[in-house]
Amino acid sequence: MPEGTDVMAGLKSDRELFLRTVSGVVLVGIIVSGINFGGIFWQLISCVIALGSMSEYYKLVSKFKDCRISPGIGYIFALMVLISAMRGARPDLIAMLLTVGTFVIFLIEIFRKQLTKGNESNAIANSGAILSGVIYIAVPWVSMILLREYSFGRQVLMTLFCCTWGCDVFAYVGGRLYGRSKLCAYVSPGKTWVGFIWGIIGSLVVNAFMLYFYRLPAYPLMLIGIICGTAGQAGDLAESLIKREAGEKDSGRIIPGHGGILDRFDSILINGTLTCLILEILL
């Protein structure tokens, strides 16, 4: 019986690895194609990923007892900021849209409070949950849309995603082979300090290769490797914290072997935002 159990476990592990590899290759192909084609193709890919990630995020936060969110409002304002970016709106106008969205959500909570005679509204928790989805997910994908519009945007985005993937792969391999000391045991037990350091190294190595391949100036684009190696791993931990507090292992199950969309694009959210911010400041 134990031998049969081991065989079944091995087959299951092989199947999961196969599914993970195939789906990973497909995802990479979609992202790389979108970046290379740019324009409306990349914009639509960004919108689909953003809205899919938000759907998973709202399902997670809806598990908290104080939240009775209206996700439709979040999707509306996410689309507004995404479409504004697609039409070339300035970042300050996008920020103003978020402010308007805040007031609209509070207005809805006022009506909810009145209609239920004060029993069915928790304005702070509900508005915070809705807005955090837009700010945490949609705005970073706005950054990715804006980055593609730079004259060297294709190269920057390719470097950004490759550094993020390189960090993930190095962190996973280093953590599995040599990891002992836990990085954040109460948030993500599988992550180790060795994996964290390997992730930084992996991101920097990939960054250097991409800059050499594209013949791009080291400064300020070498900062992408640092961002992806450090902030990207923090972004991964942030999503792990949300899932742990919601009592879920994955944000979803739409991607075979990987989990949800948000699981696969959690690190790129902060990476893309910081990269866009740095380029806006320095260039």
Side-chain angles (χ1 to χ4, degrees):
M1 181 65 72
E3 291 183 2
T5 303
D6 291 341
V7 170
M8 292 298 294
L11 290 174
K12 182 179 179 181
S13 177
D14 291 342
R15 180 175 179 274
E16 289 179 353
L17 179 61
F18 175 76
L19 289 174
R20 185 180 180 88
T21 302
V22 171
S23 57
V25 169
V26 171
L27 279 176
V28 170
I30 291 172
I31 294 298
V32 170
S33 298
I35 292 173
N36 280 321
F37 281 108
I40 190 65
F41 190 48
W42 173 243
Q43 293 166 358
L44 289 176
I45 288 174
S46 298
C47 288
V48 169
I49 295 174
L51 294 176
S53 299
M54 285 182 65
S55 174
E56 295 174 352
Y57 177 78
Y58 285 146
K59 287 180 180 177
L60 289 173
V61 299
S62 66
K63 295 180 180 295
F64 295 95
K65 62 179 181 180
D66 292 332
C67 290
R68 294 176 59 86
I69 64 172
S70 303
I73 303 299
Y75 297 139
I76 290 172
F77 280 99
L79 279 171
M80 288 176 65
V81 298
L82 288 164
I83 292 172
S84 296
M86 291 165 63
R87 294 178 62 85
R90 301 196 315 268
D92 56 339
L93 293 177
I94 294 173
M96 291 178 191
L97 281 175
L98 293 174
T99 302
V100 172
T102 304
F103 281 100
V104 170
I105 293 168
F106 275 121
L107 184 61
I108 291 171
E109 291 301 321
I110 290 171
F111 282 115
R112 177 182 286 174
K113 197 82 169 179
Q114 286 298 111
L115 291 174
T116 61
K117 298 181 179 180
N119 296 321
E120 295 296 334
S121 173
N122 190 334
I124 300 299
N126 295 346
S127 59
I130 294 171
L131 283 171
S132 63
V134 179
I135 296 170
Y136 171 50
I137 296 170
V139 172
W141 282 101
V142 165
S143 299
M144 252 80 78
I145 291 173
L146 296 177
L147 280 173
R148 186 59 180 84
E149 299 307 311
Y150 280 89
S151 58
F152 51 95
R154 180 174 65 86
Q155 294 91 331
V156 169
L157 276 175
M158 285 294 293
T159 302
L160 178 66
F161 275 89
C162 286
C163 285
T164 301
W165 295 331
C167 176
D168 289 345
V169 171
F170 270 67
Y172 177 79
V173 173
R176 289 293 297 270
L177 292 178
Y178 306 110
R180 295 294 182 272
S181 300
K182 302 295 183 183
L183 177 63
C184 284
Y186 299 107
V187 175
S188 183
K191 290 182 171 53
T192 64
W193 279 105
V194 170
F196 180 76
I197 294 170
W198 271 54
I200 296 174
I201 294 171
S203 179
L204 291 173
V205 168
V206 173
N207 190 201
F209 172 80
M210 296 298 289
L211 295 183
Y212 175 79
F213 178 78
Y214 283 125
R215 297 292 192 270
L216 293 172
Y219 181 82
L221 298 182
M222 195 67 188
L223 294 175
I224 293 177
I226 300 173
I227 291 170
C228 294
T230 55
Q233 295 193 70
D236 189 9
L237 286 171
E239 197 234 354
S240 295
L241 176 64
I242 296 168
K243 291 186 294 185
R244 179 164 289 273
E245 294 194 349
E248 294 290 339
K249 181 179 181 295
D250 298 314
S251 65
R253 294 173 178 79
I254 193 171
I255 305 175
H258 289 270
I261 301 174
L262 186 56
D263 290 324
R264 288 305 90 209
F265 295 99
D266 51 4
S267 298
I268 203 68
L269 298 176
I270 186 62
N271 292 345
T273 304
L274 288 176
T275 298
C276 187
L277 179 62
I278 287 173
L279 293 184
E280 284 288 326
I281 292 173
L282 296 180
L283 299 182

